[in-house]
Amino acid sequence: MDDLMLTIIDDEITTVDDQSNDLKKWKIAIIDDDQGVHDVTKLALSGVKILGRKIEFISALSGEEGRLLLKDNPDCAVILLDVVMETSDAGLELADKIRNELLMDNVQIILRTGQPGYSPEEEIISRYEINDYKTKNELTRDKLFTSIATAIRSYNHLRALDESKKGLRNVIEASASLMKERSVHDFASGVLQQINALFNLSSQGIFCVSQSPSDGPIELIDESDSQYFVVATSPSFHDFYGKDLQDISNSHEVEIAQNTLINKQNQIQENLCSLYLSTPSGWEGVVVINSPLSLNEVDEELLKLFCLNISLGLENAKFFTHLNNAAFYDEVTGLYNRTGFIEKSSEILKSAKSSMALFIVDIDYFHEIIESLGFEFGNMVLNAVTSSLNRDFLSDGIIARLHSDVFALLLPDTNWHYRDITKECSKPFMIEGNSLRLGVTVGEATCDLSTETFDIELLLRHAEIALKVAKEHQRGVGQLFESKFEDDKRAHLDILADLRNGIANEELFLVLQPKVSMTEGYVVGYEALIRWQHPIKGLISPNAFIPVAEQSGLYFDIDMYVFRKALALIAENPAITKPISVNVSANSLHHSDFISELKKIIAEKDSDISQIEIEITENALVRSDMAIQHLRELKALGFVLCLDDFGAGYSSLSYLLKLPLDVIKIDRSFVTHIEKGAKALFVLEGMLQICQNLSMRVVVEGVETQEQADILIALNADIAQGFFYFKPLTIEEVLIKAL
Ligand code: C2E
Ligand code: CA
Ligand code: CA
């Protein structure tokens, strides 16, 4: 402790009791070749106390002896130095060495000369920094005491200034290294260490700050300013770490911390010292250490400066934590965001040697929820899902909200499967007093880190692909990733790239499948079906590329291409006089440019559209005002409208039958089943009945056998399209055998 000298220079210190200052006597060196001078001086000053401290003499009888003596006593306060010793200026030579060789800057040199009237030249006084000079006979007790007391005061001042400078340097160094700490926890731990280094203590302490440290997502939950959390401790207070001050009882350290925060100022008690911190943007903190750090031992200014510096450091750490949070945590739920999730999960994947399961959880119909109940409600739903994920998985897993209504969950070594997750997340929960139940769809991907290395991006991609597959099949359930999904996806991407070229290079062409009257036996019309003659892969069926086009936006180009080709076909083949129906994808019917683009194509060659019919699937017509509007416009343009794949969807019959449709195509699945059972037959019969009552024309798709045809004829169905009559034909084939 005596390293850090006290800078409070105050004569009142003389009241401090003697014993405690035993070690702190002022050292006075007498360097004189006259032993008598030694004796007189000691006698004169015996028992004297200056600034409350006794005096200790050390002696040397020559300049050289003096040099060695001082070398061993660098804490010497005053030197009474004879000028003439072994040489006529041995004293001056020694003075030079004291300042320039021994580097004793603070020691006070009082030069003593034997000759009355001799005064050293001014130049010498300043060169050797001589503080005073006296003739030997001036050394009466009183005079001696006065000059020694003055010298000791000066020495003490200089020494204190020196210590203060050193302390200041330490504070600056300590704060500079603390400023580098970016998390509140690291910063606070640093402060606890630096206090000990700075004040030469071995204290144990705690560091608390207002609000939670924001170092992790859960801790963000409580934002109320009145709470103070312990963000760092020395080892002996480890149990307090992470706790709210209010929740810690029976601790003097915590009591004094609370006191400090209430009074907003440092509190010094016997064996406890508590420092108050407040940052420019209103964060408050308190550092408590269990060491006696009485204020009269430490420079108060230095302590203030230190507190100011750690307050700034705290602000700095808080700022970084805030930025860090924005970059890594989701504001709505407090969970990790995608970046945070990837960062955190990568660490785990790098070191873990177990199996891992990653689940991506997608809330079903979340956009509909927001549309009808608003954003705030949507946020409550997100938080409810967060709570149920936290409840079940927080202790074992990493949870994140990746984006809008999509959550991710990484679980090491788990027995959970996507079915369990859907079940957990579909349990009812309360929002604003109402019990609510959500559906979720889950994509799952797994890896075994004991046998393979896996990075999080890949695992995430697998789970995302699995989710996509799950959503395409059935919402509310889930899907485990299989490697063939990725092959499918790659194949999709290849097809997409080729398809663009294929359209541009006119590799796509139309075949016609005749529709026939089963009773009369002749062709009544055709359906135009697309084919792709790929230059390398050969002939490609529409089932391999139409669904891909639907997902990419190319569907619109394809539909317009087919429409153009169908018009050209009619114009170029006057022998084909029956109507040709073209398929329009559901997405095209929703496209805002659909009608205008059709009109443009018709106008290009002033085409005749009286022979063109349009096939639309029922899912295109469900719940879209735009589609129904387009349907009416098609009708107004004079197209015959045909409802394709009827019965395959789930829409209400009565709804569909109100639309301006002319022809109903009954889905192939009904025909496939009629031979197998009475139920299909019964349904088919009913459907045919309704259509006939509404005087709609009916086409039955997928007739493959004589038996099917016979049953259909018996049910009063007439027009059929199926392999039993014709497969799709090229134009040349049509011209030969199917006019
Ligand atoms: P879709 O509109 O239901 O067309 C009927 C499909 O059933 C055609 O397959 C046809 O070859 C097939 N088919 C006809 N009779 C039978 C039968 O007796 N048994 C069986 N098993 N199948 C029969 P395709 O040509 O492979 O077309 C498949 C689907 O691709 C079409 O189903 C349609 O949704 C789509 N598609 C085909 N051409 C186009 C087009 O030009 N534009 C659009 N947007 N979609 C098209
Ligand atoms: Ca069709
Ligand atoms: Ca069909």
Side-chain angles (χ1 to χ4, degrees):
M1 184 85 212
D2 52 2
D3 246 37
L4 179 81
M5 260 296 296
L6 329 172
T7 53
I8 301 161
I9 305 147
D10 193 326
D11 288 33
E12 282 166 34
I13 287 179
T14 45
T15 57
V16 173
D17 79 279
D18 279 9
Q19 264 177 349
S20 66
N21 287 306
D22 259 7
L23 292 170
K24 298 176 188 169
K25 290 179 182 168
W26 300 117
K27 257 186 205 170
I28 295 182
I30 306 169
I31 302 172
D32 202 309
D33 57 357
D34 179 349
Q35 182 60 46
V37 173
H38 289 255
D39 300 338
V40 171
T41 310
K42 285 178 189 169
L43 191 70
L45 294 173
S46 75
V48 157
K49 270 198 230 166
I50 296 168
L51 300 178
R53 288 159 65 174
K54 288 182 179 171
I55 285 170
E56 175 195 348
F57 289 103
I58 50 175
S59 311
L61 290 163
S62 71
E64 179 52 18
E65 201 186 314
R67 190 181 66 82
L68 296 170
L69 178 77
L70 291 173
K71 206 175 159 194
D72 293 338
N73 291 279
D75 55 341
C76 184
V78 181
I79 303 169
L80 296 168
L81 182 60
D82 190 10
V83 177
V84 184
M85 289 179 286
E86 57 265 53
T87 59
S88 63
D89 61 354
L92 294 180
E93 250 175 57
L94 180 57
D96 181 34
K97 286 182 178 138
I98 290 167
R99 299 300 186 204
N100 298 319
E101 216 173 82
L102 301 174
L103 300 175
M104 295 167 74
D105 291 337
N106 300 332
V107 70
Q108 301 291 297
I109 303 176
I110 299 174
L111 216 52
R112 298 204 287 188
T113 66
Q115 304 112 310
Y118 167 88
S119 62
E121 286 165 25
E122 198 129 315
E123 189 262 335
I124 287 176
I125 290 181
S126 72
R127 183 174 354 140
Y128 302 124
E129 293 170 64
I130 307 294
N131 305 99
D132 197 359
Y133 66 90
K134 294 276 180 287
T135 53
K136 289 185 181 176
N137 54 9
E138 266 185 290
L139 293 179
T140 60
R141 189 180 191 279
D142 278 356
K143 282 192 176 164
L144 198 55
F145 179 80
T146 314
S147 33
I148 295 270
T150 309
I152 281 180
R153 279 214 175 84
S154 304
Y155 168 79
N156 201 29
H157 246 302
L158 289 174
R159 174 87 204 258
L161 267 177
D162 238 20
E163 287 300 336
S164 189
K165 255 192 261 169
K166 204 168 111 196
L168 199 64
R169 200 169 53 235
N170 285 347
V171 166
I172 289 165
E173 276 167 11
S175 342
S177 79
L178 287 170
M179 287 293 175
K180 283 187 232 134
E181 295 301 348
R182 300 200 161 180
S183 90
V184 174
H185 167 74
D186 291 348
F187 169 76
S189 306
V191 168
L192 291 175
Q193 284 168 11
Q194 292 289 3
I195 287 185
N196 283 345
L198 189 59
F199 298 117
N200 196 28
L201 302 171
S202 52
S203 69
Q204 297 273 316
I206 58 174
F207 195 124
C208 318
V209 287
S210 56
Q211 298 179 355
S212 50
S214 317
D215 264 344
I218 352 145
E219 291 144 320
L220 274 173
I221 293 164
D222 208 310
E223 288 281 325
S224 109
D225 265 10
S226 62
Q227 268 162 316
Y228 296 89
F229 288 84
V230 179
V231 293
T233 68
S234 312
S236 53
F237 295 108
H238 189 74
D239 287 351
F240 295 171
Y241 178 65
K243 289 193 174 151
D244 186 339
L245 275 191
Q246 286 174 351
D247 300 337
I248 307 170
S249 46
N250 294 328
S251 155
H252 287 307
E253 285 76 16
V254 169
E255 252 167 55
I256 195 174
Q258 277 164 332
N259 241 314
T260 307
L261 290 162
I262 292 167
N263 296 316
K264 300 191 185 300
Q265 60 186 26
N266 297 345
Q267 310 268 312
I268 311 290
Q269 289 178 1
E270 201 185 338
N271 288 336
L272 275 182
C273 167
S274 175
L275 306 178
Y276 174 74
L277 312 171
S278 79
T279 80
S281 55
W283 249 29
E284 284 181 298
V286 57
V287 184
V288 181
I289 51 167
N290 65 358
S291 227
L293 187 69
S294 64
L295 265 189
N296 44 3
E297 285 182 71
V298 170
D299 186 339
E300 216 170 337
E301 290 305 314
L302 213 60
L303 198 62
K304 274 190 199 153
L305 187 68
F306 184 66
C307 288
L308 182 72
N309 267 291
I310 48 182
S311 295
L312 290 174
L314 185 61
E315 175 85 7
N316 191 38
K318 189 206 162 204
F319 180 65
F320 273 110
T321 306
H322 181 80
L323 281 185
N324 210 36
N325 281 349
F328 294 106
Y329 298 107
D330 167 43
E331 248 181 61
V332 178
T333 60
L335 296 173
Y336 288 108
N337 61 16
R338 193 181 178 96
T339 316
F341 181 75
I342 288 178
E343 173 127 339
K344 196 80 195 165
S345 305
S346 318
E347 277 170 32
I348 290 180
L349 257 62
K350 259 181 225 146
S351 54
K353 285 271 168 280
S354 63
S355 66
M356 287 279 162
L358 174 62
F359 301 92
I360 299 190
V361 180
D362 183 313
I363 303 175
D364 295 339
Y365 306 112
F366 185 69
H367 292 285
E368 283 82 348
I369 293 175
I370 286 188
E371 257 170 42
S372 49
L373 297 166
F375 262 105
E376 239 167 78
F377 193 85
N379 284 349
M380 287 192 252
V381 168
L382 294 175
N383 279 308
V385 173
T386 303
S387 312
S388 61
L389 290 175
N390 277 341
R391 183 189 61 223
D392 293 324
F393 307 110
L394 188 61
S395 50
D396 311 316
I398 308 237
I399 311 172
R401 181 167 81 119
L402 297 183
H403 56 93
S404 81
D405 58 335
V406 180
F407 294 82
L409 176 60
L410 182 77
L411 294 178
D413 227 0
T414 181
N415 292 321
W416 289 84
H417 296 294
Y418 65 80
R419 274 192 199 84
D420 311 313
I421 310 275
T422 15
K423 212 157 118 197
E424 278 311 290
C425 294
S426 319
K427 283 184 180 161
F429 52 84
M430 301 295 284
I431 289 183
E432 293 188 323
N434 300 308
S435 174
L436 212 90
R437 196 191 285 270
L438 285 180
V440 299
T441 307
V442 178
E444 177 183 350
T446 54
C447 63
D448 186 353
L449 297 171
S450 63
T451 57
E452 56 194 336
T453 52
F454 235 82
D455 69 39
I456 185 65
E457 305 271 2
L458 184 64
L459 198 59
L460 208 54
R461 203 174 75 224
H462 284 180
E464 274 164 350
I465 291 172
L467 176 68
K468 201 155 170 256
V469 173
K471 279 164 83 175
E472 276 162 13
H473 289 125
Q474 198 187 346
R475 281 190 165 267
V477 209
Q479 178 70 54
L480 178 65
F481 174 80
E482 291 168 31
S483 53
K484 77 170 167 71
F485 295 162
E486 219 169 18
D487 303 340
D488 292 354
K489 202 181 156 203
R490 208 164 293 130
H492 270 205
L493 289 175
D494 287 351
I495 286 180
L496 263 188
D498 280 4
L499 193 53
R500 259 175 248 281
N501 286 329
I503 297 169
N505 300 338
E506 306 235 343
E507 291 162 14
L508 294 91
F509 64 99
L510 295 184
V511 289
L512 298 178
Q513 186 177 30
K515 301 169 190 173
V516 294
S517 160
M518 291 187 282
T519 48
E520 309 288 337
Y522 56 78
V523 174
V524 297
Y526 311 89
E527 177 176 6
L529 294 162
I530 198 162
R531 298 290 178 265
W532 179 9
Q533 187 64 50
H534 192 281
I536 295 157
K537 295 176 186 157
L539 193 65
I540 302 178
S541 125
N543 289 325
F545 65 88
I546 293 286
V548 182
E550 297 276 8
Q551 284 166 25
S552 71
L554 269 183
Y555 59 87
F556 192 72
D557 305 63
I558 290 182
D559 281 358
M560 294 305 135
Y561 179 93
V562 169
F563 191 67
R564 204 179 256 119
K565 287 276 172 208
L567 289 178
L569 196 158
I570 288 168
E572 290 159 15
N573 296 284
I576 298 173
T577 54
K578 314 275 168 50
I580 296 176
S581 62
V582 295
N583 293 282
V584 166
S585 91
N587 288 322
S588 287
L589 198 66
H590 287 93
H591 202 291
S592 54
D593 296 339
F594 178 60
I595 296 289
S596 59
E597 200 62 27
L598 278 191
K599 284 184 177 165
K600 219 195 260 164
I601 293 169
I602 297 165
E604 270 169 22
K605 300 222 165 93
D606 195 17
S607 304
D608 175 14
I609 60 163
S610 61
Q611 238 178 293
I612 301 283
E613 301 183 353
I614 289 180
E615 294 192 13
I616 297 146
T617 56
E618 62 172 78
N619 62 347
L621 300 171
V622 178
R623 264 183 275 145
S624 159
D625 294 343
M626 170 84 92
I628 296 191
Q629 171 63 22
H630 284 169
L631 197 68
R632 293 190 205 289
E633 290 183 43
L634 286 173
K635 183 80 195 159
L637 285 168
F639 289 107
V640 168
L641 302 181
C642 190
L643 185 65
D644 202 358
D645 300 345
F646 180 62
Y650 302 96
S651 35
S652 122
L653 199 64
S654 58
Y655 164 77
L656 289 173
L657 297 179
K658 275 184 219 149
L659 298 171
L661 300 162
D662 308 288
V663 183
I664 301 278
K665 285 184 90 171
I666 292 177
D667 192 65
R668 206 162 70 222
S669 56
F670 287 91
V671 182
T672 320
H673 288 118
I674 49 172
E675 284 164 292
K676 288 186 194 146
K679 199 175 162 202
L681 195 64
F682 182 72
V683 175
L684 187 64
E685 190 179 7
M687 287 199 317
L688 287 167
Q689 200 84 63
I690 295 168
C691 296
Q692 277 150 15
N693 290 350
L694 291 164
S695 26
M696 282 199 186
R697 280 187 280 142
V698 176
V699 177
V700 183
E701 277 191 299
V703 181
E704 292 183 351
T705 64
Q706 180 74 60
E707 290 73 26
Q708 288 169 344
D710 291 344
I711 296 172
L712 288 166
I713 291 167
L715 290 174
N716 245 342
D718 186 22
I719 300 166
Q721 180 185 340
F723 294 171
F724 178 60
Y725 298 101
F726 290 101
K727 292 209 162 166
L729 308 173
T730 60
I731 312 303
E732 294 73 28
E733 289 170 324
V734 169
L735 292 174
I736 296 164
K737 57 182 178 189
L739 286 175

